[in-house]
Amino acid sequence: MLANNNRQMLRRLAFSGLKSDGRRTLVLFVAIVLATVLLIGVFTTGISYLRLSRLQDTRLYGGERDITIANGFTPEQLALLENDARVESVGQQVYAGVVQHTEADETASVGLIWDDVVLWEQQRADVITAQEGHYPQAENEIMTSREALAACGLAGLGVGDRFTATVETNTGVKTEQFVISGIWEGYGDTAPFFVSRAFLDRSGYVLADSGILSVKLAQDFVLPQTLEGLREGLALSTEQIYQTSTYIDNSWKVLLGVIGLALVIALSAGLLIYNIFYLSAARKRRYYGLLQTLGMTERQVAQLVRRQMLGITLVAMVVGTVLGVGTTLELVPQLLNALGITADLIQTQLHPLILLASLGIVLAAVLAGLRTPLRMARQGTLVEAMRAQ
């Protein structure tokens, strides 16, 4: 039997086949469009929610942290966390006293806090929106916000200015002069004054009793077993508090939910596509047998089927992508707001990987559904088709 290698004829046969089977073609087209739109929407909503939820928690609590260990810590516990591959960074913080009053306000009450360089420069990076000057180095230097200065009646002061304040520390009450080494603006708790390590060392407060560890994990999604394993490895005392953030507690649940929804959509679309392909191939077995009798090879028959199915698939995926992007930009912000994300934070961004993942899943579902119909088309003969009638 001679094989014809006429690509133009294959294209015409593919187009006429789709046109003659218009109802199934329309159902297939709609199924692929809907699957593409839903996958883009699910992935974008889930990833955007996780990203904005972390940013919202970071701004609310004044730093990017997944675990907080309070009521002191030991050098061994600090070293254990710093050397753990699951941990990205460990910041330290401790209360160092309180301002009882200043030269300008007898009723001022502002806390004194010390942050180490990791907490201030790394974990607060998304919190500090503006900073003038530098973090305190000398014993009498402070870093403050405009709100804290105003609370002490010192709203008119700036970087380099000095003021007198009476402070209470663990060693007693003392009136002394301070110099403003820096002023910052941002999110979180803007009420305290931040002091130097030199001030902390003479305040009487020690990290072992009052220190707080701020732990940022290396992964954004961790299982409860990981968090529990970290807690058990630290051998915490009864006084110490181990607290995980809302984000890290829920991140894996949201991620699993997104993956689960994507699988449900992909399986539903795959089954529908498979049924359409199967019914179409079964109905056309006699037609495919005739084509082989007239000179087509099995390979050419398979090419014909692929042209028909992949042609409509590609068109549907393009339409689904356009509709998915438009729908996502319009509806996802409303969904995120309904899920508890502050409206000011919502910025919908369609990452190219989301589009690629969505299209890849749809294409995989189509190819999986196409395997059996392709085999039926290649194995179909005129004799088998006539017997089946």
Side-chain angles (χ1 to χ4, degrees):
M1 186 179 296
L2 298 177
N4 294 320
N5 186 21
N6 194 323
R7 294 184 178 181
Q8 185 176 3
M9 182 59 68
L10 285 176
R11 285 196 293 268
R12 290 180 180 177
L13 287 173
F15 179 76
S16 62
L18 290 174
K19 189 175 180 180
S20 63
D21 204 8
R23 184 173 298 178
R24 285 191 178 90
T25 300
L26 179 60
V27 173
L28 176 63
F29 179 84
V30 173
I32 296 173
V33 169
L34 285 178
T36 306
V37 171
L38 289 174
L39 284 171
I40 292 175
V42 167
F43 280 133
T44 303
T45 302
I47 300 303
S48 297
Y49 174 78
L50 288 171
R51 178 176 58 84
L52 295 176
S53 179
R54 175 177 280 284
L55 179 59
Q56 182 168 272
D57 280 1
T58 297
R59 292 185 174 183
L60 178 64
Y61 298 110
E64 192 173 28
R65 65 189 71 178
D66 297 316
I67 302 171
T68 301
I69 300 171
N71 291 347
F73 56 88
T74 66
E76 292 76 17
Q77 290 172 333
L78 175 60
L80 187 65
L81 289 170
E82 290 178 333
N83 295 321
D84 195 313
R86 296 168 293 182
V87 174
E88 179 182 300
S89 63
V90 184
Q92 304 174 59
Q93 184 182 78
V94 66
Y95 175 81
V98 62
V99 175
Q100 290 186 338
H101 57 82
T102 67
E103 59 190 31
D105 190 342
E106 291 293 327
T107 62
S109 180
V110 174
L112 301 174
I113 302 292
W114 174 78
D115 282 358
D116 76 339
V117 65
V118 174
L119 179 55
W120 184 263
E121 295 185 359
Q122 295 182 31
Q123 297 180 351
R124 291 188 184 273
D126 291 331
V127 171
I128 300 174
T129 58
Q131 179 176 319
E132 181 183 359
H134 61 84
Y135 192 85
Q137 301 295 326
E139 185 176 320
N140 66 333
E141 289 182 335
I142 66 160
M143 167 70 75
T144 179
S145 65
R146 291 293 179 187
E147 290 81 358
L149 286 175
C152 294
L154 306 170
L157 299 185
V159 175
D161 291 335
R162 298 174 180 271
F163 65 91
T164 301
T166 299
V167 299
E168 180 183 357
T169 65
N170 217 21
T171 59
V173 178
K174 184 179 180 181
T175 299
E176 53 189 302
Q177 190 177 68
F178 292 91
V179 58
I180 300 174
S181 66
I183 296 178
W184 71 282
E185 297 178 5
Y187 302 93
D189 187 4
T190 59
F193 286 158
F194 292 91
V195 298
S196 65
R197 180 59 189 259
F199 182 93
L200 171 64
D201 289 341
R202 71 169 176 83
S203 68
Y205 293 96
V206 294
L207 295 170
D209 296 331
S210 307
I212 299 173
L213 289 179
S214 176
V215 182
K216 168 68 172 64
L217 298 177
Q219 302 295 329
D220 288 333
F221 316 106
V222 296
L223 295 174
Q225 293 87 335
T226 301
L227 298 175
E228 183 63 21
L230 281 169
R231 188 189 70 81
E232 292 178 353
L234 292 172
L236 301 172
S237 68
T238 55
E239 291 78 17
Q240 289 178 293
I241 297 174
Y242 180 92
Q243 183 175 8
T244 55
S245 69
T246 303
Y247 169 83
I248 207 64
D249 281 337
N250 295 328
S251 60
W252 69 278
K253 301 175 186 177
V254 176
L255 183 62
L256 288 178
V258 170
I259 295 174
L261 282 174
L263 288 176
V264 169
I265 294 170
L267 289 174
S268 300
L271 288 173
L272 180 57
I273 292 168
Y274 171 81
N275 287 330
I276 295 172
F277 284 169
Y278 182 86
L279 291 174
S280 179
R283 193 174 68 87
K284 292 183 177 180
R285 288 193 67 182
R286 183 174 183 273
Y287 172 67
Y288 296 139
L290 283 170
L291 291 178
Q292 291 188 45
T293 302
L294 293 174
M296 268 194 177
T297 64
E298 291 183 2
R299 181 179 179 183
Q300 287 176 325
V301 172
Q303 288 178 346
L304 173 61
V305 176
R306 277 196 292 264
R307 283 178 183 273
Q308 288 178 329
M309 302 311 177
L310 294 182
I312 191 65
T313 297
L314 292 177
V315 174
M317 287 170 62
V318 171
V319 174
T321 300
V322 174
L323 291 177
V325 170
T327 303
T328 296
L329 294 176
E330 181 66 27
L331 295 181
V332 168
Q334 301 178 31
L335 289 174
L336 292 174
N337 188 247
L339 289 171
I341 301 297
T342 304
D344 295 340
L345 294 179
I346 296 176
Q347 294 180 351
T348 304
Q349 296 179 348
L350 277 170
H351 198 282
L353 289 178
I354 291 178
L355 297 179
L356 290 176
S358 301
L359 296 177
I361 291 174
V362 172
L363 185 58
V366 171
L367 293 177
L370 192 56
R371 293 180 62 185
T372 300
L374 273 176
R375 186 173 63 252
M376 292 172 61
R378 296 179 69 170
Q379 294 176 352
T381 66
L382 180 58
V383 174
E384 290 177 349
M386 294 181 67
R387 287 177 179 174
Q389 297 302 315

